[in-house]
Amino acid sequence: MTSSTPQKNNAPQHIAAPFLTTVMQIEPQWIDYNGHLNMAYYNVLFDRGIDQMWLELGIGPDYMKTRHGSTFTAEAHVRYLREVHLGDPVQVSVYLIEADDKRIHTFEELRHATEGWLSATSENMTLHVDINARKTAPFPADIAARIRHVVTAHGTVARPDGIGRRITMPAK
């Protein structure tokens, strides 16, 4: 007997490079005494962007509850390039740069959502974790295939400026 229900496609729906989040707003309590977004809240915006991407990959909160896997950030490098202020609409672009059986290398750009200028970038190494063991573990095969699919799609566009930068004093 055939079902009239369409087959579920396991590929992420938004694989275009980069993945674009919904437009987000700066919250009033995030503004510091300098009158701009406090540095900590750039990470909140980047994290919210990654959460949206993870939902597309099938590794969001439901994945943690049902399959007992999640992701932990192991390393992050944030660059603050231009101030954003209360009232500025922002959007995060997420690039999946590379992945292996336990890690995902991402690069994110925070841009003014209507004017398009770049405010900040965040480069991250994320680990897949077995929540019960609290140790790194390989992604399940179906999730790994989704991730590879997106990494391949994102590999078709030019890499954004700033990937692989390190912190150092300029040469004199």
Side-chain angles (χ1 to χ4, degrees):
M1 177 158 92
T2 349
S3 169
S4 60
T5 307
Q7 290 286 326
K8 183 172 177 164
N9 181 353
N10 287 333
Q13 298 302 308
H14 302 287
I15 61 167
F19 171 82
L20 295 175
T21 68
T22 59
V23 173
M24 297 180 266
Q25 297 298 316
I26 306 300
E27 297 183 20
Q29 65 272 22
W30 298 352
I31 301 301
D32 65 18
Y33 56 85
N34 293 311
H36 62 201
L37 184 64
N38 179 274
M39 63 181 281
Y41 294 102
Y42 283 85
N43 286 306
V44 170
L45 292 165
F46 285 128
D47 191 51
R48 288 180 177 178
I50 281 291
D51 282 347
Q52 288 182 34
M53 180 70 186
W54 282 181
L55 287 173
E56 290 297 321
L57 292 174
I59 55 176
D62 288 342
Y63 173 76
M64 198 258 323
K65 290 176 190 167
T66 61
R67 297 177 75 178
H68 310 288
S70 191
T71 59
F72 290 5
T73 301
E75 186 173 348
H77 180 181
V78 178
R79 294 185 308 147
Y80 306 95
L81 305 171
R82 184 170 171 182
E83 297 174 299
V84 289
H85 301 91
L86 186 61
D88 286 339
V90 294
Q91 188 171 35
V92 176
S93 304
V94 182
Y95 296 82
L96 266 62
I97 305 300
E98 293 183 71
D100 64 17
D101 62 336
K102 297 180 184 178
R103 298 175 294 188
I104 303 174
H105 176 191
T106 58
F107 189 83
E108 300 163 75
E109 297 175 320
L110 180 72
R111 292 185 178 275
H112 191 281
T114 56
E115 297 174 11
W117 45 262
L118 184 62
S119 174
T121 66
S122 182
E123 185 169 11
N124 300 274
M125 185 63 66
T126 303
L127 306 175
H128 182 256
V129 175
D130 175 323
I131 288 296
N132 294 330
R134 305 301 276 196
K135 293 186 179 203
T136 58
F139 287 101
D142 61 319
I143 299 297
R146 289 179 189 176
I147 292 168
R148 281 192 307 274
H149 184 72
V150 175
V151 167
T152 299
H154 287 199
T156 64
V157 298
R159 288 183 165 225
D161 183 44
I163 292 177
R165 287 184 51 121
R166 62 187 178 109
I167 297 173
T168 186
M169 296 296 289
K172 291 185 180 189

